[in-house]
Amino acid sequence: MIVVKSSKGGELRVDGYRVRVVEKLRLPSLDERFKAIKEAGWNTFLLRNEHVFLDMLTDSGVNAMSDKQLAAMIAAQDSYAGSMTFYEFVKTVKEVLGFEYVLPTHQGRGAEHILAKTFVKPGSVIPMNYHFTTTKVHFELAGAQVLELYIDEALKTKSTHPFKGNMDPEKLREAIRKYGKENIPFVRMEATTNLIGGQPFSMENLKTIKQICEEHNIPLVLDGSMIDWNAYLINQREEGYKNMSIAEIIKEMCSLADIFYASARKAMCVRGGFIATNNKKFIEKMKEWLPVYEGFFTYGGMSIKELGAMAVGLREMVNESLIGTEVEQIKYFAEKLTKEGVPVVLPPGGLGLHLDAMEFLPHIPQNQYPAGALAAALYIVSGIRAMERGTMSMERDKEGREIFSDLELVRIAFPRRVYLRSHIDYAVDRIVWLYEHRNLIKGLKWVYEPPVLRFFLGRLKDIENWGKELYETYKKELGNY
Ligand code: F0G
């Protein structure tokens, strides 16, 4: 954003870019939407884009690329081994993040797999501020137990604590005492903590956690997939960082990490991932696994074209003009919905607007997936494709029992540089209508439940066919669009 003084007092934030390529959108009819959600097994992941109006499932791999990124894709030097594009990327990582050694991976979970293979063994314990779905699965498959050491405020959706992504330092000290540092291969901090509603951690907290790690000689791993939004929010909310640039804040965050990894599909607006560190021993150990699972170390399962665009994406990630739009959009969205009494996660963070499904639909028990039902209902009434982030996104325990998620959220994600204010106004209108008719929504039950990461491919059904009544009521009141 370009920040200037407003003539009315206060500040004015203006997007520092313009749009030069557009894609026409089509609003599918209500009839079409109702048919499509049934065909998709009430799972928004299984919808086809031709039936979607606003695709707000995720910010992953769907951000608008810049002219310079596209140019870099053409200029990239395709080669299996030794491409100059890779070495230029390494130089950029050093320049922007401050790390010497880099391993590209096909995407973020590729990096997690390499970390799991290299550092995690049966009996390992991995403390984190909060888990991410793929992270947890990779570490658990390697035999580890994941500990979530969030602060109490993290799960209170109404609390306006500015840094709900913080890790509780006392809980970390306690975990080290209880499990022993020899069983903790690393501590993981996730920027713009995904599953609690895109909430940032503070630099002060990161420094405290780093200090505890250092006292016990435990490496600190930073998942920087969404470091851009976390840095933007530190700049806005944390004492002492208001006059620092995003580039400086990101450099400082990275200086506290022993290992950095990211899905580049997010903040860097390309399709890939990587691991970076200044520790030679770590990189050599990880590098051994790279050709087995990802590819040769100068492409790591990515297309070289994307690697070229990733270097540009990294530099753009710290360009003040190009970042921050989505944080401002989410804030606008949250303010509008809050004014109408719709329960959303506060304070608005990065990643997306998060509806609090347990508050929205208090009549649906967690074993009937209130967030999944709400995501399906939102699609029916708007054509907006959002994502369930609740119990459906959890794995069952070893005995096959359901593990209830701490929060039941519907995430309406904001891909970077993609949606406009009128889209938000449309979404607000439809969500408010849905909130007024929330009693029509009931739960979901499984028709097909995959054994792992079930939310991706699982198929469900609306309990007592509630979808039909929602569809009919909408049609009577608002017509077929
Ligand atoms: N870490 C975080 C914090 C993520 O948000 C993601 C992906 C990953 C790791 C895995 O990266 O997808 O490139 O393999 N998040 C996506 C999302 C899927 O929709 O939030 P990946």
Side-chain angles (χ1 to χ4, degrees):
M1 308 294 278
I2 294 171
V3 187
V4 293
K5 267 192 202 159
S6 163
S7 58
K8 305 252 170 354
E11 64 178 24
L12 203 55
R13 289 179 178 255
V14 189
D15 295 302
Y17 55 87
R18 63 176 177 158
V19 181
R20 287 201 282 136
V21 177
V22 295
E23 177 189 352
K24 186 185 169 303
L25 291 175
R26 187 181 74 90
L27 174 62
S29 70
L30 175 70
D31 290 344
E32 204 180 324
R33 290 174 339 225
F34 189 43
K35 185 164 173 270
I37 197 72
K38 286 188 280 188
E39 282 171 5
W42 296 80
N43 180 352
T44 55
F45 271 98
L46 300 180
L47 288 166
R48 289 182 182 207
N49 259 24
E50 60 178 303
H51 302 128
V52 170
F53 178 40
L54 306 180
D55 191 2
M56 303 180 87
L57 184 78
T58 179
D59 65 317
S60 173
V62 287
N63 301 295
M65 294 178 97
S66 71
D67 49 357
K68 297 203 168 45
Q69 284 187 291
L70 293 175
M73 289 180 89
I74 292 173
Q77 188 196 54
D78 240 338
S79 172
Y80 190 96
S83 165
M84 280 314 294
T85 302
F86 169 72
Y87 290 103
E88 276 155 28
F89 172 63
V90 173
K91 226 169 78 192
T92 312
V93 170
K94 171 84 184 157
E95 199 180 294
V96 177
L97 306 178
F99 296 108
E100 193 83 38
Y101 308 111
V102 187
L103 296 176
T105 59
H106 77 281
Q107 60 184 80
R109 69 201 71 182
E112 288 167 342
H113 188 204
I114 297 291
L115 284 173
K117 273 279 165 199
T118 311
F119 297 102
V120 182
K121 47 183 198 286
S124 293
V125 174
I126 306 185
M128 32 184 102
N129 52 347
Y130 208 77
H131 79 276
F132 182 68
T133 51
T134 56
T135 323
K136 191 162 189 257
V137 166
H138 274 300
F139 297 162
E140 285 181 351
L141 283 174
Q145 181 190 345
V146 164
L147 295 183
E148 289 168 319
L149 309 182
Y150 48 82
I151 58 168
D152 294 343
E153 298 290 307
L155 305 183
K156 296 180 187 152
T157 54
K158 294 231 159 15
S159 155
T160 51
H161 189 292
F163 293 109
K164 290 185 185 175
N166 283 353
M167 181 180 278
D168 186 327
E170 274 324 299
K171 287 188 191 160
L172 178 58
R173 287 189 196 282
E174 178 53 33
I176 297 171
R177 265 195 299 275
K178 182 168 169 197
Y179 295 99
K181 65 175 185 185
E182 62 286 358
N183 294 314
I184 303 180
F186 52 80
V187 170
R188 172 180 173 274
M189 288 291 280
E190 179 181 308
T192 315
T193 321
N194 193 324
L195 296 186
I196 58 166
Q199 299 291 316
F201 54 67
S202 68
M203 190 75 84
E204 187 193 9
N205 183 252
L206 190 63
K207 282 184 187 162
T208 307
I209 299 306
K210 168 68 176 173
Q211 195 190 328
I212 298 171
C213 288
E214 253 177 6
E215 281 165 26
H216 297 89
N217 209 13
I218 301 171
L220 178 62
V221 171
L222 174 59
D223 178 338
S225 307
M226 295 180 284
I227 197 170
D228 54 340
W229 290 324
N230 202 122
Y232 188 82
L233 289 163
I234 286 178
N235 177 251
Q236 288 200 336
R237 294 180 187 172
E238 190 164 353
E239 219 41 64
Y241 289 89
K242 297 204 169 25
N243 296 322
M244 257 170 99
S245 68
I246 299 296
E248 287 165 336
I249 294 173
I250 286 185
K251 252 299 181 39
E252 186 173 334
M253 288 165 90
C254 289
S255 73
L256 297 165
D258 298 289
I259 298 177
F260 174 99
Y261 81 90
S263 164
R265 299 169 61 85
K266 294 182 161 246
M268 290 147 227
C269 301
V270 293
R271 291 125 192 113
F274 67 98
I275 310 174
T277 178
N278 283 320
N279 185 313
K280 197 154 191 251
K281 258 194 2 235
F282 288 167
I283 209 77
E284 277 167 4
K285 270 164 72 179
M286 289 189 281
K287 204 170 176 177
E288 289 163 7
W289 285 111
L290 210 69
V292 182
Y293 293 108
E294 301 296 312
F296 194 63
F297 76 91
T298 57
Y299 76 92
M302 292 179 69
S303 136
I304 290 282
K305 289 184 173 23
E306 299 277 350
L307 203 53
M310 191 150 96
V312 179
L314 258 178
R315 266 183 251 116
E316 291 183 348
M317 187 182 85
V318 294
N319 184 318
E320 311 272 339
S321 287
L322 292 173
I323 64 160
T325 297
E326 306 75 38
V327 172
E328 301 301 330
Q329 288 177 321
I330 293 162
K331 191 166 147 223
Y332 172 81
F333 200 170
E335 278 165 4
K336 289 240 159 182
L337 287 176
T338 306
K339 221 162 100 199
E340 301 282 348
V342 178
V344 303
V345 172
L346 295 173
L351 177 58
L353 184 283
H354 292 77
L355 297 172
D356 180 347
M358 277 203 272
E359 291 259 332
F360 201 114
L361 303 170
H363 53 283
I364 302 183
Q366 280 188 280
N367 61 2
Q368 294 179 9
Y369 315 115
L374 185 53
L378 173 64
Y379 168 73
I380 293 171
V381 304
S382 67
I384 296 172
R385 187 213 321 234
M387 185 192 290
E388 190 268 5
R389 294 278 74 159
T391 297
M392 260 172 75
S393 297
M394 299 288 287
E395 305 295 309
R396 287 182 185 267
D397 71 10
K398 287 197 183 74
E399 277 72 47
R401 284 175 305 221
E402 197 77 87
I403 298 178
F404 294 130
S405 178
D406 295 320
L407 295 169
E408 296 287 345
L409 305 179
V410 173
R411 178 183 89 181
I412 306 172
F414 277 78
R416 290 163 188 76
R417 319 183 267 207
V418 170
Y419 289 115
L420 307 173
R421 188 162 278 202
S422 69
H423 296 131
I424 302 174
D425 292 334
Y426 169 78
V428 169
D429 188 90
R430 274 6 190 196
I431 291 167
V432 170
W433 185 90
L434 197 57
Y435 189 58
E436 284 161 359
H437 296 78
R438 60 192 178 278
N439 289 336
L440 297 177
I441 307 171
K442 297 195 178 84
L444 299 175
K445 60 180 180 204
W446 293 105
V447 174
Y448 160 63
E449 184 182 345
V452 64
L453 295 175
R454 58 187 180 172
F455 60 94
F456 280 127
L457 298 175
R459 301 185 68 82
L460 303 101
K461 196 182 153 359
D462 54 330
I463 291 171
E464 296 170 24
N465 299 316
W466 58 262
K468 190 156 186 294
E469 205 186 334
L470 180 70
Y471 159 82
E472 282 167 358
T473 310
Y474 181 100
K475 195 160 204 177
K476 214 162 63 200
E477 294 188 17
L478 297 170
N480 202 18
Y481 284 93

